[in-house]
């Protein structure tokens, strides 16, 4: 695997590959890699001749400075995992490469998507995500961008940003990879103590509860029970919502729509999110 640390060098490399019609898949990450990221690398390898991963803990998307400081850094094992997965190129920049002196922050008109769910609890977060992803796509102009469904709203926001900016790459969203007990893989899971890790399975259980009761109970009652399930496990709940696939809130059953259940909850200052498609039958 080739490692680039300089933006202009990787851009030059990618542009040479593009001239030779080599299709490029790109997996942006903040490191602390797990099987969820590796599944995206595998998807990209199956679809493209060249797979590029980036590791950059983007300061502009952290609304909570403590979360930024505590974000896990495991660069050596990340590199080992990428090599084992057959990733071709890693972009591993310092902050100045991504945000050089004089870099001008732009504002994205993301509409209502920006202020609901995660946006309500993480002011400015999605502006920071758009800023870094637009910049990364500028440095690494790929054919296909790979994102994980675990960050469902982030996927919608990045799709919107690429439309707003006329960025010519397609986006593929892959299903969430889970631990055996259902906990969605996340870099933040490594911060959980043994007992918090055990408690954290309640998030997936609550999503499954929502899914299996959607037909026979009111949405209000289902959400109430799901809240109680999380609170009994010492979680502080930011939200439990049921939406359509475009993140429009749904208050009543509607059998014609694809529905998604989304949860964000915190235990001991560690904030976890998860979601589940409620209207398919294979999970
Ligand atoms: O999902 C993430 O890890 C980050 O938000 C991303 C897309 C790499 C941007 O920093």
């Amino acid at each position: 695997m080739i490692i680039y640390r300089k933006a202009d060098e990787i851009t030059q490399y990618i542009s040479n590959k593009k001239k030779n019609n080599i299709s490029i898949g790109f997996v942006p990450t903040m490191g602390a890699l797990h099987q969820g990221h590796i599944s995206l690398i595998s998807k990209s390898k199956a679809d493209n001749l060249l797979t590029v991963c980036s590791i950059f803990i983007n300061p502009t998307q952290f609304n909570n400075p403590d979360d930024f400081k505590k974000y896990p850094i495991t660069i050596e094992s990340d590199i080992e995992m990428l090599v084992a997965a057959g990733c071709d190129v890693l972009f591993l920049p310092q902050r100045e490469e991504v945000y050089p002196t004089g870099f001008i922050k732009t504002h994205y008109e993301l509409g209502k998507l920006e202020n609901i769910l995660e946006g309500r609890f993480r002011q400015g977060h999605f502006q920071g995500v758009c800023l870094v992803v637009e910049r990364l796509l500028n440095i690494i102009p790929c054919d296909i961008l790979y994102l994980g469904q675990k960050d469902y709203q982030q996927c919608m926001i990045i799709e919107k940003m690429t439309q707003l900016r006329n960025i010519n790459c397609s986006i593929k969203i892959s299903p969430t990879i889970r631990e055996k007990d259902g906990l969605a893989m996340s870099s933040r899971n490594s911060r959980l103590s043994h007992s918090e890790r055990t408690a954290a399975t309640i998030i997936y259980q609550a999503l499954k509860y929502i899914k299996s009761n959607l037909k026979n109970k009111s949405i209000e009652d289902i959400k109430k029970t799901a809240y109680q399930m999380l609170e009994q496990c010492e979680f502080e709940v930011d939200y439990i919502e049921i939406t359509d696939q475009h993140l429009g809130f749904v208050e009543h059953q509607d059998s014609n729509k694809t529905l998604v259940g989304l949860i964000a909850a915190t235990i001991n200052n560690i904030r976890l999110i998860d979601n589940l498609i409620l209207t398919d039958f294979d999970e």
Side-chain angles (χ1 to χ4, degrees), residues 224-237:
K224 216 195 236 163
T225 307
Y227 260 95
Q228 286 163 354
M229 289 170 78
L230 282 149
E231 282 173 352
Q232 271 161 16
C233 289
E234 314 291 324
F235 270 93
E236 241 174 72
V237 179

Side-chain angles (χ1 to χ4, degrees), residues 27-31 37 54 56-58 61 71 125 128-130 132-133 136 147-148 151 154 158 187:
V27 182
T29 81
M30 299 206 296
H37 299 111
S54 66
F56 176 63
I57 305 179
N58 171 37
Q61 74 186 73
Y71 203 83
H125 167 65
V129 168
C130 287
V132 78
V133 175
L136 288 170
L147 300 171
D151 297 299
Q154 169 170 279
I158 293 176
S187 305

